Amino acid sequence: MNALLLVAHGSRKRVSNDEIRDLTRRLAQDATHGFDQVECAFLEFTEPSITEGISICSRKGATHITVLPYFLSSGHHVTVDIPAELENVKKNNPQVQLQMAPYLGAAKEIGKILVSLSRRAT
Amino acid sequence: MNALLLVAHGSRKRVSNDEIRDLTRRLAQDATHGFDQVECAFLEFTEPSITEGISICSRKGATHITVLPYFLSSGHHVTVDIPAELENVKKNNPQVQLQMAPYLGAAKEIGKILVSLSRRAT
């Protein structure tokens, strides 16, 4: 079984964290992407942490987890903090295969989305 | 003439701000979206500010400017700070038509991008 784990920064504002949870639920309900589970985790301000998120996936049966940083820029969180926490998890959970996807801001498709959003301006 | 102004948070890290500037340049070079100009502006840590960004667009001939918040969540910056600065600009520049597009995180297409990125995991 495979899982997608979205990792977001996390916010002091509940509504911002809820946006990530809603997106995660919508993705989890989409049967076309091939992931058996979609979960989310947060670096700060709310739970679950990355380590907890991976435990949740693992407890639900995932043996292969793809971690995707839900960040727009390749700052310290994406290049250092998330990989470091993943290395730690790998050491303690050698039975789980972990992969890291590029962060959201790296997607070439973002330009198209911006143009599409610009047409909804009011 | 119309312009698209991407408004990002801005970072202490130059590389993060440069990512926004690169995206802006790529969009500016794309002739298919119908904007005569694409510019970027920042809330904090770097320049130009929103007000300066709108002046840049206006000086280059834009009479209609679409402002798009390059943010993943609808926090205080998107719901309060950016609209407040736009209201201020409107008062001082009644000749410029300003519109605000939905923020990036509101785009329904993000789920598809995440799935596409997950296939590039290593």
Side-chain angles (χ1 to χ4, degrees):
Chain A
M1 278 180 71
N2 58 33
L4 175 61
L5 181 68
L6 301 182
V7 176
H9 187 278
S11 169
R12 285 189 186 87
K13 296 211 167 209
R14 205 177 71 179
V15 67
S16 296
N17 300 327
D18 284 348
E19 280 189 73
I20 310 296
R21 295 188 176 107
D22 288 346
L23 171 65
T24 303
R25 266 191 290 273
R26 283 202 308 277
L27 269 178
Q29 286 161 4
D30 173 6
T32 63
H33 49 56
F35 287 101
D36 301 302
Q37 298 170 42
V38 183
E39 304 287 343
C40 59
F42 300 90
L43 283 189
E44 290 178 34
F45 302 122
T46 187
E47 296 174 335
S49 67
I50 296 179
T51 302
E52 290 163 349
I54 288 170
S55 291
I56 291 167
C57 294
S58 184
R59 277 203 305 275
K60 289 185 182 177
T63 49
H64 186 284
I65 302 172
T66 301
V67 176
L68 195 156
Y70 193 71
F71 285 75
L72 284 178
S73 73
S74 62
H76 200 262
H77 290 317
V78 170
T79 57
V80 178
D81 297 338
I82 297 177
E85 192 158 346
L86 291 185
E87 278 311 307
N88 237 344
V89 173
K90 275 182 189 173
K91 277 186 210 145
N92 299 320
N93 302 270
Q95 79 287 2
V96 178
Q97 266 198 300
L98 284 178
Q99 281 192 308
M100 187 155 150
Y103 65 101
L104 175 57
K108 292 281 179 237
E109 300 94 325
I110 282 189
K112 276 185 195 160
I113 291 188
L114 297 174
V115 172
S116 160
L117 288 169
S118 73
R119 300 208 168 110
R120 291 166 50 197
T122 52
Chain B
M1 278 180 71
N2 59 32
L4 175 61
L5 182 68
L6 301 182
V7 175
H9 188 278
S11 169
R12 285 189 185 87
K13 296 211 167 209
R14 206 177 70 180
V15 67
S16 296
N17 300 327
D18 284 348
E19 281 188 75
I20 311 296
R21 294 188 176 107
D22 288 346
L23 171 65
T24 304
R25 264 192 292 272
R26 282 202 308 278
L27 269 178
Q29 285 161 4
D30 173 6
T32 64
H33 49 56
F35 287 101
D36 301 302
Q37 299 170 41
V38 183
E39 303 288 343
C40 59
F42 301 89
L43 283 188
E44 289 179 33
F45 302 121
T46 187
E47 297 174 333
S49 67
I50 297 179
T51 302
E52 290 164 349
I54 288 170
S55 291
I56 290 168
C57 293
S58 184
R59 277 204 306 274
K60 289 184 180 178
T63 49
H64 186 284
I65 302 172
T66 301
V67 176
L68 195 156
Y70 193 71
F71 285 75
L72 284 178
S73 73
S74 62
H76 200 263
H77 290 317
V78 169
T79 58
V80 179
D81 297 337
I82 297 177
E85 193 158 345
L86 291 185
E87 278 311 307
N88 238 343
V89 173
K90 275 181 189 173
K91 276 185 211 147
N92 299 320
N93 303 269
Q95 78 288 0
V96 178
Q97 266 198 301
L98 284 177
Q99 282 193 307
M100 187 156 150
Y103 66 103
L104 175 57
K108 291 281 179 237
E109 300 95 324
I110 281 189
K112 275 187 197 162
I113 290 189
L114 297 174
V115 171
S116 161
L117 287 170
S118 74
R119 302 210 167 109
R120 291 166 49 197
T122 51

